[in-house]
Amino acid sequence: LLMKNTLTILMLVLLTNISFAQNDPSTENVKKVEPFAIPPSDGPKIKPKDQVLSIVDVEAEFPGGHLARKKFITDNVKYPARAIKNNIEGKTVVRFIIDKKGKISDIKILRGMKDCPECNAEAMRVVSIMPKWKPAINNGKKVKSYFEMPFVFRLN
């Protein structure tokens, strides 16, 4: 009985291999490609000096540190009138680049408040008027880096 079961399994394996080994007429004229033969990209090349890093050894820092940044935001955010009128509260996250000289650029809303585009615009405005930051450091050198900053809009 054991031999019969073993023979049956062996026959099934052979038949399966034979059926998969047969030529498929739809693939006869398909050009075979060598593995890993990927053509070079025609897109723009990013030079190492132009790279923007997300992970760095030392993050970029607002002049005066975290508390000074909080004070700057508190002093400069103007709660949008429509948000006050409609009791809108929430959080928006702004992402921007800080270059090697501490200058801010490429300000974007990473996660915004759908019901308050004015709040999103206000967060971007405040980031755009910030002074130069202390740039990020990676491998002992100043580098361009991304920075993500939440803005919480809360009515008192």
Side-chain angles (χ1 to χ4, degrees):
L1 183 66
L2 180 63
M3 190 166 175
K4 187 176 179 180
N5 285 341
T6 306
L7 236 119
T8 305
I9 291 172
L10 184 61
M11 290 298 290
L12 283 172
V13 169
L14 284 173
L15 287 174
T16 305
N17 285 341
I18 290 171
S19 66
F20 282 118
Q22 292 179 359
N23 286 344
D24 181 357
S26 66
T27 62
E28 285 181 4
N29 295 325
V30 174
K31 183 179 174 184
K32 301 231 185 287
V33 178
E34 290 295 316
F36 307 108
I38 300 170
S41 169
D42 293 333
K45 304 290 184 242
I46 298 175
K47 297 174 186 168
K49 68 176 185 170
D50 294 330
Q51 280 185 324
V52 182
L53 303 177
S54 295
I55 300 171
V56 292
D57 296 335
V58 180
E59 272 196 0
E61 184 180 6
F62 186 84
H66 177 69
L67 293 176
R69 183 180 70 192
K70 281 180 76 170
K71 181 175 177 359
F72 180 89
I73 291 169
T74 302
D75 292 348
N76 289 283
V77 167
K78 296 174 185 156
Y79 213 109
R82 189 180 77 77
I84 293 170
K85 180 182 174 190
N86 295 314
N87 237 7
I88 297 173
E89 295 183 332
K91 180 167 102 174
T92 185
V93 179
V94 180
R95 183 180 199 189
F96 50 95
I97 294 173
I98 301 166
D99 71 12
K100 295 176 186 180
K101 294 181 180 178
K103 185 178 174 221
I104 293 172
S105 66
D106 200 34
I107 305 165
K108 293 183 177 160
I109 297 296
L110 193 60
R111 185 177 52 222
M113 294 171 55
K114 292 178 185 171
D115 57 343
C116 188
E118 299 89 346
C119 295
N120 299 332
E122 179 60 11
M124 290 178 68
R125 184 193 69 79
V126 171
V127 169
S128 74
I129 63 170
M130 286 183 167
K132 285 187 176 182
W133 287 45
K134 183 178 173 185
I137 297 176
N138 202 49
N139 294 326
K141 296 180 182 176
K142 294 177 181 179
V143 293
K144 277 177 147 180
S145 67
Y146 287 109
F147 196 89
E148 295 175 9
M149 186 168 24
F151 280 77
V152 177
F153 290 88
R154 187 165 292 127
L155 295 166
N156 294 331

